[in-house]
């Protein structure tokens, strides 16, 4: 079975992908361009680790969305010929950072100082508690918009800053009132034995940082750490990954600085830029062959992104021939822009295109009105 699995794990890979999959010991950064097959590399890497003797349950793979985690799990289980409903006890642990935090906190709830059956509040429920706290403190909801206060709290938690830390540093009236709302919000979470999404990460990071025996327990459980979309990690996720990997140094980070778009959620693209500083012996593999787009698309993308001064050099290419050239229309105003799109769509439909085959993308909902 190991030889057969090893062959399956290395099949269908290009040279760069195979190089990344074969690296089993020590830190590795896989700089994966858009459409370069990074999910395939991650899933085949997990299979290859097991083929080389790693216990399935010693492998941790973390990504950012439930959809991505489910896709990765399905592909890994298919390679390993494992039933989809298998428990984490005899298979790799694959999930999101938040699911990982919840999983650990359920098991270490006493040390973490929370109830075993704590509730996890979604964004809407969390916002409702912030609204309650704002109202009870008599703060002006127009000046202290609950949605804005919730974003501030979330960003600070992502930087591992507590309500007490924030309060101690509050220098102006807005910050002091925000600190009071935050503390009232935290009290509401405690009284209802609830955690918000940020707590799942913060409390896990603090638990691991302050309890060496618990950290050692999970370091020995997961000897191979794989992090997807590393460019979108924030400070607390970065700390969690580094702590878990620090004992064995078998950390695999997959990401692309050119695809970092979540800074508004607290993601810090410097985490991927500083990977080599964090792990000086890291192997670097760059995936440049694109399987998704045509050459004109890639040429344009390469030309634009090359202007970014903070990036690792990478030049996407494809073996696909053809592809239409890009067209750019410089509209005079929003009405001109909308007219252009409408006329373009009308022309496509008159030439036989189905309306459902046409997509119009815009950055904000407000731009759709005109």
């Amino acid at each position: 079975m190991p030889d057969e699995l090893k062959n399956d794990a290395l099949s269908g890979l290009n040279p760069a992908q195979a190089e990344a999959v074969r690296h089993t010991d020590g830190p590795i950064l896989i700089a994966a361009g858009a459409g370069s097959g990074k999910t395939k590399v991650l899933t085949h890497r997990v299979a290859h680790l097991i083929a080389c003797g790693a216990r399935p349950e010693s492998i941790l793979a973390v990504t950012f969305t439930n959809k991505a985690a489910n896709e990765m799990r399905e592909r890994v289980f298919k390679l390993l010929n494992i039933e989809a409903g298998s428990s984490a006890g005899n298979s790799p642990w694959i999930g999101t950072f938040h699911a990982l935090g919840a999983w650990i906190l359920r098991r270490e709830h006493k040390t973490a100082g929370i109830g075993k059956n704590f509730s996890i509040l979604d964004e809407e429920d969390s916002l409702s508690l912030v609204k309650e706290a704002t109202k009870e403190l008599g703060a002006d909801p127009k000046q202290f918009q609950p949605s804005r206060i919730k974003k501030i709290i979330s960003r600070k938690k992502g930087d591992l800053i507590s309500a007490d830390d924030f309060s101690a540093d509050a220098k102006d009236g807005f910050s002091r009132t925000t600190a009071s709302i935050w503390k009232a919000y935290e009290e509401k979470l405690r009284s209802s034995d609830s955690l918000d999404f940020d707590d799942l990460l913060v409390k896990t990071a603090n638990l691991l940082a302050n309890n060496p025996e618990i950290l050692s327990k999970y370091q020995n459980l997961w000897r191979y750490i794989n992090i997807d979309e590393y460019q979108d990690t924030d400070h607390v996720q970065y700390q969690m990954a580094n702590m878990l990997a620090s004992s064995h140094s078998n950390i695999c980070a997959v990401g692309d600085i050119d695809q970092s778009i979540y800074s508004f959620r607290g993601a810090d693209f410097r985490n991927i830029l500083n990977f080599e500083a964090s792990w000086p012996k890291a192997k670097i593999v760059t995936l440049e062959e694109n399987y998704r787009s045509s050459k004109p698309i890639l040429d344009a993308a390469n030309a634009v992104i090359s202007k970014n001064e903070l990036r690792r050099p990478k030049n996407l290419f494809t073996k696909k021939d053809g592809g239409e050239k890009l067209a750019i229309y410089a509209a005079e105003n929003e009405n001109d822009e909308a007219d252009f799109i409408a006329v373009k769509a009308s022309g496509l439909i008159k030439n036989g295109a189905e309306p459902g085959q046409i997509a119009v993308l815009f950055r904000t909902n407000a731009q759709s009105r005109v």
Side-chain angles (χ1 to χ4, degrees):
M1 177 63 180
D3 288 340
E4 181 182 339
L5 180 57
K6 189 177 292 187
N7 290 334
D8 290 343
L10 294 173
S11 66
L13 303 177
N14 66 38
Q17 291 173 334
E19 182 182 5
V21 168
R22 285 195 182 97
H23 183 84
T24 56
D25 297 310
I28 178 173
L29 172 64
I30 304 174
S36 62
K38 68 178 180 62
T39 303
K40 182 174 185 177
V41 169
L42 263 180
T43 54
H44 281 244
R45 175 181 164 78
V46 170
H48 188 261
L49 283 168
I50 295 171
C52 291
R55 292 180 295 107
E57 60 270 24
S58 71
I59 300 170
L60 174 70
V62 184
T63 187
F64 277 79
T65 66
N66 289 322
K67 181 179 179 182
N70 289 335
E71 180 186 353
M72 191 184 301
R73 189 180 299 109
E74 288 174 6
R75 291 168 72 164
V76 167
F77 282 16
K78 185 176 180 180
L79 273 172
L80 299 178
N81 198 25
I82 296 176
E83 291 294 328
S86 296
S87 67
N90 60 358
S91 61
W93 199 102
I94 301 171
T96 65
F97 269 106
H98 293 87
L100 174 64
W103 194 87
I104 292 175
L105 290 174
R106 296 285 186 201
R107 284 152 182 78
E108 311 297 340
H109 64 97
K110 288 184 179 179
T111 307
I114 54 180
K116 182 178 182 180
N117 298 315
F118 61 84
S119 300
I120 301 173
L121 301 186
D122 60 22
E123 291 298 325
E124 187 175 338
D125 290 333
S126 298
L127 183 59
S128 293
L129 289 189
V130 173
K131 288 179 179 177
E132 288 180 18
T134 304
K135 184 177 181 180
E136 290 172 7
L137 289 170
D140 183 356
K142 292 183 179 179
Q143 183 181 1
F144 298 93
Q145 295 176 345
S147 58
R148 181 186 178 192
I149 301 301
K150 180 66 180 70
K151 286 179 182 177
I152 293 173
I153 293 172
S154 181
R155 176 65 69 91
K156 294 302 179 181
K157 284 188 175 184
D159 290 335
L160 286 175
I161 295 172
S162 68
D164 289 337
D165 295 334
F166 184 80
S167 180
D169 290 337
K171 298 295 190 294
D172 55 67
F174 181 84
S175 296
R176 286 192 288 270
T177 301
T178 299
S180 297
I181 295 172
W182 186 354
K183 286 186 175 181
Y185 169 68
E186 290 297 329
E187 181 55 41
K188 289 180 178 296
L189 288 173
R190 278 192 293 271
S191 63
S192 62
D193 195 19
S194 302
L195 303 182
D196 62 23
F197 282 151
D198 298 302
D199 289 332
L200 297 177
L201 305 180
V202 173
K203 290 188 179 296
T204 302
N206 288 334
L207 175 76
L208 297 176
N210 298 325
N211 298 277
E213 72 287 352
I214 291 179
L215 174 59
S216 178
K217 171 182 173 180
Y218 291 103
Q219 286 174 336
N220 289 325
L221 172 60
W222 295 311
R223 292 172 177 258
Y224 298 92
I225 312 295
N226 301 274
I227 310 295
D228 191 18
E229 305 290 7
Y230 198 73
Q231 78 279 353
D232 290 329
T233 53
D234 61 16
H235 180 65
V236 64
Q237 292 162 341
Y238 172 81
Q239 292 294 339
M240 283 175 61
N242 279 12
M243 282 190 286
L244 289 171
S246 61
S247 178
H248 301 287
S249 298
N250 295 324
I251 181 170
C252 170
V254 183
D256 180 13
I257 183 62
D258 297 339
Q259 297 184 67
S260 180
I261 61 173
Y262 288 112
S263 60
F264 69 94
R265 292 183 185 172
D268 190 346
F269 67 88
R270 291 171 296 185
N271 291 343
I272 194 168
L273 289 176
N274 294 334
F275 187 84
E276 290 172 87
S278 300
W279 304 94
K281 297 181 180 180
K283 181 181 181 65
I284 312 296
V285 176
T286 303
L287 306 184
E288 296 178 303
E289 184 172 355
N290 179 284
Y291 294 92
R292 183 183 301 157
S293 303
S294 62
K295 188 175 186 300
I297 295 286
L298 297 179
D299 288 346
N302 286 329
V304 172
I305 202 64
S306 66
K307 306 301 181 184
N308 191 344
E309 296 177 359
L310 296 175
R311 68 188 295 264
R312 173 174 293 280
K314 181 171 74 281
N315 194 60
L316 296 179
F317 70 92
T318 181
K319 293 179 180 177
K320 294 180 179 179
D321 294 325
E324 293 184 31
K325 291 183 177 181
L326 278 72
I328 297 176
Y329 180 74
E332 293 183 4
N333 52 48
E334 61 180 1
N335 290 304
D336 184 24
E337 183 178 61
D339 286 339
F340 171 80
I341 293 172
V343 170
K344 191 77 173 176
S346 177
L348 289 169
I349 293 170
K350 287 177 181 177
N351 288 326
E354 292 292 331
Q357 294 176 313
I358 301 171
V360 180
L361 307 181
F362 37 85
R363 287 190 63 82
T364 65
N365 286 331
Q367 289 175 298
S368 69
R369 294 170 189 158
V370 63

